[in-house]
Amino acid sequence: MTAWRRARLAGCKPMADKAPTADLAHELSGKPVGDRFDDGFDAQFKGWVARLLASPAPTPVLTEVGRVTEVGDGVAVVSGLARALADELLVFACGVQGIVLDLEPGRLGVILLGPSELITLGEDVRRTRKVVSVPVGPALLGRVVDAMGRPRDGLGTITAVAEHPIEAEAPGILSRSAIFRPLATGIKAIDAAVPVGLGQRELIIGDRQTGKTSIAIDAILNQAHSKLTCIYCAIGQRGDAVSRAIAALKKGNMMARSLVISAGDEEPPGLAYVAPYAAMAMAEYFSDQGQDVLVVFDDLTHHARSYRELSLLLRRPPGREAFPGDIFYVHARLLERAGQFTPEAGGGSITALPVVETQAENLSAYIPTNLISITDGQIYLSPRLVRKNQFPAVDLGLSVSRVGGKAQSRALREVAGNLRVTLSQFEELEDFARFGTRLDDVTRARLTRGTAVRSALRQAERDPMPAFEQLAVLLAAMEGLFDGLAEQLVSTAMTRVRAAARKDLQVIGDRISEDQALRPEDRELIIGSARNALSAPDSASPNESGNDANA
């Protein structure tokens, strides 16, 4: 009731100077204002309901939530996720991620990818319906990342092209081609006697402190003048060891074309388990673009131990040396993804250099024998050669390359053909000569030649050598130019021969790089250049050439 009507009913005369309003007109007409407002609202509400009923119904969202029932060091047991899949990524309420490893009725065994201290019993766990993926793309080059592709070098975020799952099916046999191109490591003992081809899987095996990582880093540094993309995956390594490897890559101007993935020994074992698969997924992106990739896994012994730790914590039945029964498959499905691929499959290649550690020269241990049978050959580093101050300590008697010989350059193949035989005969005679037996002149000459050849295989760390320099040094040693020299003088002699080869034999070096055969006149030129370099006065150029070699 309006004020005007109340005043009229009360017998009061309304103000004469105020004209009736529109509300008054409606009231006088017998229709209240509220009714008119209600009619408009009803029409608006009915239109809104009609539009809502005509719109498509929202899709129902199913959210599956589980609970943490047990927490261990790097693992957790989850219940309530009956539809979870193997290798599926789970997310805990605290933000830690995990991978489903065991599927049992009413129980999931989960590998944690973060600190287990953050997880509490009864905590919610949700499915993601995804597998573990890592960023891939050219932006990763020059960076240091963890096993999940997150930056660890403080250089900002990484703009990735895409994210690829860490697990992928290995290419079939029809997607592969024969290995026909060499991978130059820059190490005489390897390139001459144990050659590695692009797309090969060559195992580096030996005891601790025998120089396994140094060989892998030198192989990366030797790619400074090639177009290879290099990935160094450090598994279970100490932080100072990884930092030394990064410093070597930066000093050798290879960091811009390299990627370092680090899963240290202080991190959860789950990250060490997924690290090599993440490295292979990143390598596959570059190989799909037609590029050649070199991947170093340093080392798979720590990887196997991490997987053993996770399996035992999840109460899987142990096998030989307490490793789970599927440890062979764990490494086989990783290394089978390497190879030389056909143009239809991208045309690139992935060369794998896995590193494995032995104990007391025991090559028949479980993990070493597994990896020897998976790979295409092995480079064995002997602690006995280390004690003789022979670096790199490559034992040519136990080292083999099953497919790399076909990819070796023809010039090196001709020169190094008798290298293995010469050294094996020398080692037999050396063992025999220890008894103090009188030796004839021929035997003494063989011992002298073998000592000179073995000394010629010595090489300084971080000093990769081009192919034609290796050829000059090996030819000089095989022809007896180093015979009779003391071991400490052989290094100076090799420095002179290398300097003379860089100065006088560049044309021959170009032909060798084009994989042309070594002609007889080229052989004579190389031997003559080496003989002239060794006959020069002592003050000639050893120091200068040594500086050049290290530059």
Side-chain angles (χ1 to χ4, degrees), residues 204 207-216 381 386 391-393 461:
I204 303 176
D207 286 7
R208 295 190 62 183
Q209 303 298 323
T210 53
K212 301 183 296 296
T213 301
S214 294
I215 285 182
L381 304 181
V386 172
F391 290 101
E461 191 180 36

Side-chain angles (χ1 to χ4, degrees), residues 140-141 220 228-234 249 257-261 275 278-284 286 293-297 350-351 353:
L140 289 168
L141 296 180
I220 295 177
L228 256 72
T229 300
C230 301
I231 299 177
Y232 177 72
C233 180
L249 294 178
R257 287 195 289 115
S258 300
L259 165 65
V260 178
I261 302 174
M280 188 60 77
M282 297 174 184
E284 286 174 338
F286 294 106
V293 187
L294 171 62
V295 187
V296 176
F297 301 107
I350 299 178
T351 306
L353 294 180

Side-chain angles (χ1 to χ4, degrees), residues 1 12 21 31 78 125 134 162 169 218 241 291 352 499 503 546:
M1 182 180 297
C12 300
T21 61
K31 186 175 182 180
V78 177
V125 187
V134 292
E169 185 178 357
D218 286 348
Q291 302 181 28
K503 181 180 178 182

Side-chain angles (χ1 to χ4, degrees), residues 114-200:
S116 57
E117 295 81 6
L118 301 178
I119 298 177
T120 58
L121 293 178
E123 184 174 329
D124 290 348
V125 187
R126 298 180 183 272
R127 291 184 59 191
T128 62
R129 295 177 175 84
K130 298 186 298 183
V131 296
V132 181
S133 301
V134 292
V136 297
L140 289 168
L141 296 180
R143 303 298 301 271
V144 180
V145 299
D146 65 359
M148 299 299 293
R150 297 174 294 228
R152 300 189 60 181
D153 50 10
L155 299 179
T157 58
I158 297 175
T159 305
V161 174
E163 287 195 354
H164 287 184
I166 63 173
E167 295 279 3
E169 185 178 357
I173 191 171
L174 295 180
S175 300
R176 301 175 182 267
S177 63
I179 294 175
F180 61 95
R181 296 175 298 164
L183 171 71
T185 63
I187 301 173
K188 297 190 294 291
I190 296 176
D191 291 344
V194 198
V196 181
L198 290 177
Q200 185 175 346

